[in-house]
Amino acid sequence: CPAFFFARPSRMTDATDATDASASALYLGLMSGTSADGIDAALVRFEGEGRALRCQLVHGRTFAWDEATRTRLVALGQGADTVSLDALGALDATVALAFADAALALLQDAGVPRGRVRAIGSHGQTIRHRPQADPPFTWQLGDGNVIAERSGIDTVADFRRRDVAAGGQGAPLMPAFHAALLGSPQEDRAVLNLGGIANFTLLPVGGEVRGFDTGPANALMDAWCERHTGRAYDADGAFAASGQVDAALLARLLADPWFALPPPKSTGREHFHLDWLQARMGETVLPPADVQATLLDLSARTVADALQMTQPDTRRVLVCGGGVRNAVLMARLAAYLPQAIVESTAMHGLEPDYVEAMGFAWLARETLAGRPGNLPAVTGASGRRILGTVFPA
């Protein structure tokens, strides 16, 4: 893609070329997804706007959550309501401190002083996402005041709620970023993020950019794997590969009405969690590996079905997020989508582990420039909106 350039993470020193150092400001993106499996931090340099956007990953790193904090976040994300206001307030501050410390550790690792960073863009940690509720709402922990104070860097946070207030889903928010970096005038493409939840950005040659969630990607697989193996995720899909897909269970899972909803739509762990799975298993007893295999097939099947319904002429699916490391999942996707090339965004110079963190760095840049960050055709909002709240250092 001629509008994009990429550099592998590298240490920046005072010897950095002066022209390079002054070419553009640095932004730092922070992201923790539905699975709450870590804080992705990306230090990014941007130049240009729109289709002329140029983007360099200066340094990226993932920081593990404190296990006690992760346990609380996962429980809340899956619908636990038994938490006091004091505990929730403390968790909000704890998440913010973890985000700020991740930012500072990344800068130390990269050898970049904080004064070089124009702003932090922080997604926070989603604990509820209810765009269909009355009234609709979305909620991400990680107080921007705390991040700005702790880091000493201007911070933009709370990106999703303005879109929801404008009648949108508040997600996905990456399609404009994807379009600038990964679109092609030669072929219809789709960018697929395989985080806890899977979501598409559709990039047709001659049409409007669209995007939506397709359902669970890793969230259910991770939770089932952790319950039955003690491991936080199924490394390379080995657990799933050791089992067999149960057709009857798969049919019951696919029958959930959410999958039949038309875009725009979004979802989260508060819908697709282990209690949801157990309710559809009923009294059926299956080997744990067979359930894992079925959950992997559910992820691949719902992604493929959604793409066939919305952009059947897609010729290339560019995959990012943690699921790109699951070889079994990637192979299943390719089998379900024989008409398309299914490949990592790394093939196009974009490190798949840090695409979303880079995207929130970009959203911070757009907010500070007074430019809207949402696409109404994607989220269903009543118009384009400047997203996020600015917390000066």
Side-chain angles (χ1 to χ4, degrees):
C1 179
F4 178 79
F5 70 91
F6 170 79
R8 293 189 178 278
S10 59
R11 185 175 178 83
M12 181 180 292
T13 69
D14 292 338
T16 301
D17 180 80
T19 301
D20 177 64
S22 62
S24 57
L26 296 172
Y27 290 80
L28 198 157
L30 297 169
M31 172 70 192
S32 179
T34 307
S35 293
D37 51 1
I39 301 170
D40 294 330
L43 183 63
V44 191
R45 177 182 291 109
F46 296 107
E47 295 177 9
E49 303 171 23
R51 293 286 183 176
L53 180 67
R54 291 161 60 84
C55 174
Q56 179 190 12
L57 176 63
V58 176
H59 198 61
R61 187 175 163 191
T62 298
F63 298 86
W65 282 106
D66 168 80
E67 191 56 38
T69 301
R70 181 179 183 274
T71 298
R72 291 197 295 271
L73 291 173
V74 169
L76 281 173
Q78 291 190 144
D81 293 319
T82 55
V83 60
S84 70
L85 289 177
D86 283 348
L88 193 59
L91 187 58
D92 187 31
T94 297
V95 168
L97 290 170
F99 270 64
D101 288 346
L104 294 174
L106 181 74
L107 293 177
Q108 182 176 20
D109 198 36
V112 176
R114 71 181 75 186
R116 292 277 305 280
V117 179
R118 174 64 187 88
I120 291 171
S122 175
H123 170 266
Q125 180 65 57
T126 300
I127 57 167
R128 283 291 189 282
H129 185 66
R130 302 287 196 194
Q132 307 294 346
D134 184 18
F137 69 94
T138 186
W139 193 354
Q140 289 74 41
L141 297 184
D143 185 357
N145 294 286
V146 174
I147 298 173
E149 190 67 29
R150 178 86 154 204
S151 68
I153 301 170
D154 291 351
T155 298
V156 187
D158 197 17
F159 288 99
R160 297 193 185 276
R161 290 204 285 186
R162 182 60 190 273
D163 185 86
V164 171
Q169 293 284 311
L173 295 181
M174 294 294 103
F177 182 62
H178 292 159
L181 298 182
L182 295 169
S184 168
Q186 282 83 41
E187 61 184 7
D188 288 353
R189 291 181 173 181
V191 180
L192 172 62
N193 175 52
L194 293 176
I197 298 297
N199 54 70
F200 266 129
T201 296
L202 304 183
L203 303 173
V205 170
E208 192 171 38
V209 175
R210 291 175 292 160
F212 53 92
D213 288 353
T214 67
N218 298 310
L220 285 174
M221 289 191 289
D222 289 351
W224 185 260
C225 182
E226 188 165 16
R227 172 178 287 185
H228 289 278
T229 72
R231 299 187 297 269
Y233 65 97
D234 184 10
D236 207 28
F239 185 31
S242 70
Q244 299 291 323
V245 174
D246 185 275
L249 175 59
L250 179 62
R252 290 196 294 273
L253 300 179
L254 288 169
D256 188 296
W258 188 90
F259 294 118
L261 293 174
K265 62 179 182 177
S266 60
T267 189
R269 193 191 286 268
E270 66 280 348
H271 185 112
F272 294 107
H273 48 70
L274 289 183
D275 287 344
W276 175 87
L277 171 63
Q278 193 61 57
R280 282 146 186 82
M281 291 179 65
E283 300 300 318
T284 304
V285 178
L286 294 171
D290 287 3
V291 177
Q292 187 76 2
T294 305
L295 292 175
L296 185 145
D297 206 74
L298 174 72
S299 295
R301 171 76 176 274
T302 50
V303 164
D305 287 352
L307 188 60
Q308 296 285 13
M309 289 175 57
T310 54
Q311 191 172 279
D313 293 330
T314 300
R315 291 295 171 259
R316 195 176 303 271
V317 178
L318 309 179
V319 187
C320 58
V324 77
R325 310 293 181 192
N326 186 327
V328 179
L329 178 58
M330 291 290 285
R332 193 68 53 84
L333 284 167
Y336 275 127
L337 296 168
Q339 81 283 5
I341 297 170
V342 179
E343 62 189 9
S344 168
T345 57
M347 301 296 292
H348 299 262
L350 199 56
E351 171 57 47
D353 291 330
Y354 299 110
V355 172
E356 283 205 283
M358 294 171 72
F360 280 96
W362 173 79
L363 280 172
R365 180 178 185 252
E366 297 303 285
T367 298
L368 293 179
R371 294 188 289 262
N374 67 335
L375 293 177
V378 170
T379 67
S382 59
R384 300 209 65 186
R385 297 290 188 270
I386 298 171
L387 304 179
T389 302
V390 180
F391 302 88

